[in-house]
Amino acid sequence: MATVKTMEKPNKKQVLLFYCVEAEELARKIAAQSDHIQLQSINWRSFDDGFPNLFINNAQDIRGQHVSFLASFSSPSVIFEQLSVIFALPRLFVASFTLVLPFFPTGSFERMEEEGDVATAFTMARILSNIPISRGGPTSLVIYDIHALQERFYFSDNVLPYFETGIPLLKQRLHQLPDADKVVIAFPDDGAWKRFHKLLDHFPMVVCAKVREGDKRIVRLKEGNPEGCHVVIVDDLVQSGGTLIECQKVLAAHGATKVSAYVTHAVFPKNSWEKFTHKNGENSSKGFAYFWITDSCCPTVKSIEKKAPFEVLSLAGSIADALQI
């Protein structure tokens, strides 16, 4: 009688994780998730003229190892030094190379609306597509909730983009709420609905839309009913937060008992997060009950940790899992 062989799960690989200065706290959280992830260090120095003077510690010891790098492209000034390391690591005879770039920062600049516009998302994708191939093959590139779905096609075959999402973290947190049975998901526009509705389809939904009135763009309720519910606005990123605030006002006016928000990437340039904080004991009825973010934008997390209504849902466990793929 023939026996059927069951497929055995491969043993977990040992991963050496390098990281940029900004992402050190997240890197330590990732390493704490698994005994199979070991942190490595880089000397991030500069010459007197400001250009990088970098050194990868224990470079000879990483030969034949599975190597990864946790990047944070929070500003143009830090991108070049990180790219220098990212292009160097695969050439050190490593078994494989994985780049974790939780937030793809130029993602919202993917369109040319008139001749002369520069699509910087495509430029960034071309740069990353030229990361040298390691002994194990193309670089694996892990990105969370990229802004435009078509951007996955911007990368060449020299890299293997792996697109992840922070939505499972949100769903887990929503199920922990005392009013979990009253939660309704709201999307600020059709773009957010397209990105996320299939991941949240077991929740009732509300969709808002921006309409033009004269020179102004006004947020209106397009479909769904928020009355008597805890409405959670979901989007991939926030900059100034103006759209979220307008959505909150519209949802409250239509009877929402509470309004919260979730974004994977809390960019918040020029400390624009400050307009969301609860000041002088202010209760959540006048603003957001909760504002959930992930730690994809490391500088922001350091600024707003432990400031109500913000709550950080860490990507550390998800990234640790992705490094084993």
Side-chain angles (χ1 to χ4, degrees):
M1 184 175 179
T3 58
V4 178
K5 290 185 178 180
T6 57
M7 292 184 65
E8 295 183 1
K9 289 185 178 179
N11 293 328
K12 286 192 173 182
K13 60 188 180 185
Q14 294 290 333
V15 178
L16 304 182
L17 176 60
F18 292 88
Y19 53 90
C20 68
V21 175
E22 283 183 354
E24 180 174 357
E25 185 175 343
L26 177 55
R28 295 194 181 281
K29 288 180 181 178
I30 295 168
Q33 298 288 321
S34 172
D35 293 334
H36 295 86
I37 299 174
Q38 181 181 343
L39 294 183
Q40 302 292 303
S41 64
I42 293 167
N43 292 340
W44 300 93
R45 304 167 303 194
S46 297
F47 292 109
D48 291 340
D49 61 2
F51 277 84
N53 177 16
L54 311 169
F55 185 81
I56 299 169
N57 294 308
N58 305 316
Q60 289 191 339
D61 296 337
I62 71 174
R63 291 177 179 176
Q65 303 293 319
H66 298 288
V67 171
S68 56
F69 182 79
L70 176 63
S72 175
F73 288 2
S74 61
S75 67
S77 62
V78 300
I79 291 176
F80 178 68
E81 64 179 13
Q82 291 181 59
L83 283 174
S84 299
V85 170
I86 290 164
F87 275 62
L89 285 170
R91 299 173 66 89
L92 295 175
F93 295 92
V94 301
S96 69
F97 181 61
T98 300
L99 170 61
V100 182
L101 180 62
F103 174 46
F104 186 71
T106 55
S108 56
F109 305 103
E110 87 282 3
R111 288 190 297 270
M112 287 181 60
E113 295 185 351
E114 62 176 311
E115 195 68 33
D117 282 342
V118 178
T120 51
F122 184 60
T123 303
M124 180 64 74
R126 290 175 71 184
I127 291 171
L128 296 176
S129 294
N130 281 284
I131 298 171
I133 294 174
S134 71
R135 290 179 67 185
T139 292
S140 299
L141 173 59
V142 181
I143 296 175
Y144 282 80
D145 290 319
I146 199 163
H147 182 68
L149 298 179
Q150 70 269 18
E151 289 171 0
R152 68 184 57 223
F153 304 111
Y154 290 2
F155 299 91
S156 78
D157 293 340
N158 287 338
V159 295
L160 300 174
Y162 177 67
F163 296 104
E164 261 290 4
T165 179
I167 294 298
L169 297 173
L170 171 65
K171 290 166 69 174
Q172 182 181 24
R173 184 66 184 93
L174 293 179
H175 289 309
Q176 296 169 350
L177 296 176
D179 57 354
D181 59 330
K182 291 286 188 180
V183 169
V184 168
I185 300 298
F187 300 106
D189 52 38
D190 288 334
W193 178 84
K194 288 177 183 177
R195 278 190 292 274
F196 296 124
H197 79 278
K198 289 184 179 178
L199 299 172
L200 295 159
D201 59 4
H202 59 292
F203 289 100
M205 294 184 183
V206 168
V207 181
C208 296
K210 294 177 185 176
V211 296
R212 190 173 293 280
E213 290 189 2
D215 294 333
K216 295 182 179 179
R217 298 192 73 183
I218 311 282
V219 174
R220 294 278 186 260
L221 186 66
K222 182 180 178 184
E223 59 183 85
N225 182 14
E227 186 175 358
C229 297
H230 180 181
V231 184
V232 180
I233 306 169
V234 174
D235 208 349
D236 63 318
L237 62 85
V238 59
Q239 296 266 6
S240 70
T243 298
L244 292 180
I245 290 173
E246 292 305 310
C247 281
Q248 187 272 337
K249 292 176 181 177
V250 169
L251 294 166
H254 282 80
T257 55
K258 281 194 292 188
V259 179
S260 297
Y262 165 86
V263 296
T264 303
H265 310 298
V267 185
F268 285 132
K270 299 180 180 178
N271 294 330
S272 54
W273 54 268
E274 291 178 344
K275 67 184 74 169
F276 292 95
T277 56
H278 293 170
K279 300 178 179 67
N280 302 321
E282 173 190 36
N283 62 43
S284 59
S285 63
K286 294 184 179 179
F288 287 82
Y290 299 93
F291 199 130
W292 293 291
I293 67 170
T294 76
D295 42 8
S296 67
C297 297
C298 301
T300 302
V301 171
K302 291 180 181 178
S303 299
I304 69 176
E305 257 186 329
K306 300 180 180 177
K307 289 184 173 69
F310 293 105
E311 192 175 300
V312 179
L313 309 177
S314 181
L315 296 172
S318 177
I319 293 174
D321 291 341
L323 292 178
Q324 289 296 329
I325 294 173

